[in-house]
Amino acid sequence: MVDIKRRFGFRHLRGVPTAHIRHLRGGKLVHDGTGLSFWYRPLAAALSEIPVDDRELPLLFHARTADFQDVTVQLALTFRVVDPALAAQRIDFSVDPDTGRWRGDPLAQISGLLTENVQQYALDVLTRTPLAEALVDGVGAVRDRIRAGLAEEDTRLAQTGSAVLDVRVVAIRAEPEVEKALQTTAREKVQQEADRATYERRALAVERERAIGENELQNKIELARREEQLLAQRGANARRQAEEAAAADHIETEARASREARLAQVKAEATRTLGEAEAAGEAARLAAYRDLPEPVLRALAVKELAANLPKIDSLVLTPDLIAPLLARLGVGS
């Protein structure tokens, strides 16, 4: 609504930057533009106010899918009047010269036109799409179809001097009962996936525990095998040491026996040589004594006897001892 002031039978109009003002007087265009400010006579003026700012149009309507399920489509359009002169010719944007109010509702006409076209394009997509696919991919498909239809097929909107700037499909939702059933199915599927993931995680944990157990068992087997090898090696080493010690003892024993045998042989040889020497000496002495007279031999025997007698410090000779001796000497002579 424009701002109009009254002064002495004249009217003063002050526009805004977002409104395009057209002023006709006597069928001729006097003022045409945005943000205008001028005086005019109300009885001779025809005024039009065409908004040129961006307008939002929220829409909410029902549709039916290919499998006969009702869905609710929520979207929003952004549109704008791009040709104010053409829009003023096709749609009544006239305002009261005294109050500055629209005589009709021009934006409702544009909104109605957009609503009909948008619903037509959205239904064209949804009636050929099953419910599940519409809930998953329907937002993008409906948005693309509406944009293409408004840009390429809808000539009526262009003839009104308007254009759609943006299309945003907020949501496509099924009926509450159907949506609840779908949520239950999806929830069960998610639960199944969660259970499967849990079972797989448990199975993986069991498999890992089994692998760890097998690894530990293999390590124990390998350790036992190496211990067995170590014991066998130790036994072989001990046996080899014992054999070497026995061989060394045998060699030492043989060497000692050989030394003792040689020593005994040498001793025996020396003894035999000494015996032979002594025998030879005795034989020589006997040979020397064999040719001596008997009294000489007796004297030598007495001498030998006297040499082997113990030392006598004092000797007492009585007649009883000397008489027999002298008698025997006398007899012998």
Side-chain angles (χ1 to χ4, degrees):
M1 184 179 70
V2 296
D3 184 15
I4 297 178
K5 302 296 183 181
R6 300 180 181 183
R7 291 294 185 273
F8 308 110
F10 290 91
R11 303 292 185 269
H12 182 268
L13 182 144
R14 184 174 60 185
V16 294
T18 58
H20 188 96
I21 304 298
R22 289 176 62 86
H23 175 208
L24 299 176
R25 185 172 61 226
K28 295 181 180 181
L29 185 62
V30 181
H31 297 95
D32 186 18
T34 59
L36 299 179
S37 180
F38 55 88
W39 291 91
Y40 66 91
R41 289 180 178 273
L43 296 179
L47 302 175
S48 297
E49 180 191 8
I50 304 96
V52 293
D53 58 338
D54 293 348
R55 298 281 174 154
E56 295 290 332
L57 176 61
L59 296 178
L60 183 68
F61 57 91
H62 293 275
R64 180 167 293 183
T65 61
D67 47 1
F68 305 102
Q69 298 296 324
D70 291 334
V71 293
T72 301
V73 181
Q74 181 181 359
L75 56 85
L77 300 177
T78 301
F79 68 94
R80 183 176 61 189
V81 177
V82 295
D83 190 346
L86 181 60
Q89 294 176 6
R90 300 301 301 270
I91 300 175
D92 185 12
F93 282 96
S94 62
V95 296
D96 190 327
D98 291 325
T99 62
R101 297 180 180 274
W102 276 322
R103 297 181 185 275
D105 193 357
L107 294 180
Q109 298 181 32
I110 299 177
S111 299
L113 176 62
L114 290 174
T115 301
E116 293 175 359
N117 292 339
V118 167
Q119 290 183 0
Q120 177 183 352
Y121 300 138
L123 293 175
D124 185 35
V125 174
L126 294 175
T127 54
R128 294 182 285 107
T129 305
L131 176 62
E133 185 177 349
L135 295 178
V136 175
D137 302 324
V139 172
V142 170
R143 181 184 63 245
D144 295 341
R145 180 67 182 93
I146 293 174
R147 286 178 177 176
L150 293 176
E152 300 174 2
E153 303 175 14
D154 190 4
T155 59
R156 184 180 174 189
L157 182 64
Q159 292 173 359
T160 61
S162 303
V164 175
L165 303 179
D166 189 22
V167 178
R168 299 181 303 279
V169 179
V170 180
I172 298 177
R173 303 190 62 175
E175 293 295 323
E177 295 80 6
V178 178
E179 187 173 3
K180 184 176 180 181
L182 294 175
Q183 289 177 353
T184 302
T185 303
R187 190 178 297 110
E188 291 178 354
K189 185 177 181 181
V190 171
Q191 186 63 40
Q192 291 176 0
E193 292 293 330
D195 294 340
R196 184 176 62 84
T198 302
Y199 296 150
E200 290 180 355
R201 186 167 58 254
R202 291 179 180 176
L204 181 60
V206 172
E207 181 66 20
R208 289 180 177 177
E209 290 180 358
R210 185 185 63 81
I212 293 173
E214 290 182 354
N215 190 18
E216 292 179 351
L217 181 60
Q218 291 295 331
N219 291 336
K220 290 181 180 179
I221 294 175
E222 181 65 19
L223 181 61
R225 185 179 65 81
R226 293 188 179 183
E227 289 180 352
E228 182 181 0
Q229 293 178 353
L230 180 61
L231 292 176
Q233 187 65 37
R234 286 180 177 176
N237 294 340
R239 185 168 57 254
R240 188 179 299 109
Q241 290 177 357
E243 291 176 353
E244 291 178 355
D249 292 341
H250 179 69
I251 293 173
E252 185 180 359
T253 302
E254 289 184 351
R256 186 165 54 251
S258 178
R259 287 197 306 271
E260 291 178 356
R262 288 197 299 270
L263 182 61
Q265 184 178 1
V266 170
K267 288 182 178 180
E269 188 68 23
T271 302
R272 185 171 59 253
T273 302
L274 181 61
E276 290 179 353
E278 291 178 354
E282 290 294 329
R285 285 196 299 272
L286 290 177
Y289 291 157
R290 187 174 56 248
D291 295 335
L292 291 177
E294 183 178 353
V296 176
L297 293 175
R298 288 180 180 178
L300 292 173
V302 172
K303 180 182 178 181
E304 185 71 19
L305 178 62
N308 293 325
L309 289 176
K311 181 179 180 181
I312 300 174
D313 294 332
S314 61
L315 178 63
V316 178
L317 297 177
T318 62
D320 295 332
L321 296 175
I322 297 174
L325 180 60
L326 293 176
R328 292 181 60 184
L329 293 174
V331 176
S333 57

